[in-house]
């Protein structure tokens, strides 16, 4: 799913793509979303929070990681959302 191309669409489509990409990166490292302990979510418009959160919640269904969500004035390539995360391998902490 990681192509380097921006996905067209609204906050829900972009959030889905970001989390799909994060899942693929984690998988390549032998990790899963359940190993994520913290995310930082950057939204271009906090007015999109409810729609963002709906998609985000569908990926983190049990024991969601600690999260901070902030509004920023702009993101690279005019994205609506960007997410960074920290994951810890089981037995590492």
């Amino acid at each position: 799913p990681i192509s380097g191309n921006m996905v067209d669409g609204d906050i829900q489509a972009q959030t889905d793509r970001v989390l799909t990409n994060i899942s693929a990166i984690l998988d390549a490292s032998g990790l899963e979303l359940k190993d994520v302990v913290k995310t930082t979510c950057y939204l271009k418009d906090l007015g999109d929070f409810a729609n963002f959160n709906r998609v985000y919640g569908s990926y983190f269904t049990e024991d969601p990681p600690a999260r901070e969500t902030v509004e920023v004035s702009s993101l690279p390539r005019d994205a609506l959302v960007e997410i960074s995360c920290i994951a810890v391998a089981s037995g590492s902490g």
Side-chain angles (χ1 to χ4, degrees):
I2 302 170
S3 67
N5 297 321
M6 284 288 296
V7 64
D8 291 329
D10 60 11
I11 189 70
Q12 292 174 295
Q14 288 191 20
T15 302
D16 183 62
R17 174 61 62 89
V18 169
L19 290 167
T20 297
N21 288 350
I22 287 172
S23 295
I25 293 165
L26 291 168
D27 185 58
S29 301
L31 300 170
E32 302 175 47
L33 284 172
K34 68 180 179 82
D35 298 312
V36 174
V37 296
K38 182 183 180 299
T39 62
T40 302
C41 307
Y42 304 93
L43 300 181
K44 188 172 179 182
D45 181 356
L46 274 179
D48 287 334
F49 182 78
N51 289 325
F52 158 80
N53 199 48
R54 208 174 285 104
V55 176
Y56 182 93
S58 73
Y59 281 83
F60 296 104
T61 57
E62 293 182 30
D63 299 321
R67 173 178 73 180
E68 55 191 357
T69 304
V70 295
E71 181 179 75
V72 294
S73 62
S74 67
L75 290 166
R77 299 172 70 186
D78 206 30
L80 301 175
V81 60
E82 182 172 311
I83 301 172
S84 66
C85 70
I86 298 171
V88 176
S90 297
S92 296

